[in-house]
Amino acid sequence: MPDLPTRPVVWAFSTSRLRHVFSSMTPFLADVADVRVFDRGFEDALRTAREMAADGQPVDAFVAAGANGTYLRDHADVPVVVVTASTVDALQALAQARKLSPQIGVVNFQRVVAGLDQARHLLGETRIEQRPYLTPEDARAQVADLAAQGVEVIVGTGPACEMAEQAGLRSVLL
C-alpha cells in the first residue's frame, strides 16, 4: 500500500493580536495543513521551536509577522513565511478606523504602506500620518508622538495596536 501524503506542519508565532487571527484560520486549513499557534516571539519562539524539534516534533515551516518574523527568518533552521499587509488590507483597516476618528496614524514595521498616499482621497476628510518602526521602543515612541499630535486611532501591527491602547488610543489591526 503506498504511503499517504502527510499534511505540512506549520507553527505560527505571535505575541500580539495576530495570534488570534492565526488561531481563527486554523480550522479552515485543517484539511491541508497541521497548524499550531504559539504565544511566543523572538528568542522565546526560537527556543520553543528548537526544544520541540529536539523532542522529535516535526515542522515544515514557521509563520510570523513583522520584527518577529524577520528575527525567526534570520535565525531559524526551517523556512519562515513573514506575513505582511497589502495596500488593500491597509485601506480596509483605514475605512474601519475612519468610523472611529478622522485622525489616524499608521504604525507599521520597517516601512510605510505603499500606495496609501495616493488613496487618501478615498477616505474624505481624514488625516493620515504614517510611521515605520524598527524596534518595540521605536514603535512606542511613534505611537506617543502621534498621540501628542492629536491622532486618536492607530492602524498598525499587533504590538503597535497594543501600545496604542496602553496610551489610551483606539486601534485597528493592520
Side-chain angles (χ1 to χ4, degrees):
M1 178 158 73
D3 287 342
L4 295 175
T6 60
R7 296 177 301 149
V9 177
V10 178
W11 295 349
F13 294 97
S14 177
T15 59
S16 68
R17 292 179 181 188
L18 188 59
R19 181 179 70 257
H20 303 294
V21 174
F22 288 154
S23 292
S24 71
M25 293 302 299
T26 58
F28 300 105
L29 299 171
D31 290 341
V32 295
D34 178 10
V35 179
R36 293 187 59 188
V37 180
F38 297 87
D39 183 9
R40 301 271 188 280
F42 299 94
E43 298 91 1
D44 193 28
L46 196 57
R47 182 176 43 259
T48 298
R50 287 180 174 156
E51 289 170 358
M52 292 175 65
D55 287 342
Q57 296 186 45
V59 63
D60 295 299
F62 297 161
V63 175
N68 188 31
T70 299
Y71 178 86
L72 291 173
R73 182 190 62 214
D74 292 346
H75 294 90
D77 298 328
V78 299
V80 177
V81 176
V82 180
V83 176
T84 59
S86 71
T87 303
V88 172
D89 295 327
L91 288 173
Q92 289 174 331
L94 285 169
Q96 184 178 349
R98 179 60 182 91
K99 294 175 184 175
L100 303 173
S101 171
Q103 306 296 322
I104 302 169
V106 179
V107 181
N108 195 29
F109 179 65
Q110 288 188 325
R111 61 181 176 84
V112 296
V113 178
L116 203 55
D117 289 335
Q118 295 84 352
R120 288 177 194 257
H121 69 280
L122 298 173
L123 297 169
E125 295 294 318
T126 303
R127 175 180 159 223
I128 302 171
E129 297 286 334
Q130 288 204 73
R131 302 288 176 84
Y133 72 90
L134 296 175
T135 65
E137 296 78 20
D138 188 22
R140 191 173 308 282
Q142 298 295 352
V143 168
D145 184 54
L146 289 166
Q149 292 183 30
V151 165
E152 298 173 339
V153 180
I154 297 295
V155 171
T157 61
C161 287
E162 290 173 3
M163 292 171 190
E165 290 178 3
Q166 291 168 1
L169 303 176
R170 298 175 91 178
S171 68
V172 176
L173 183 64
L174 178 60

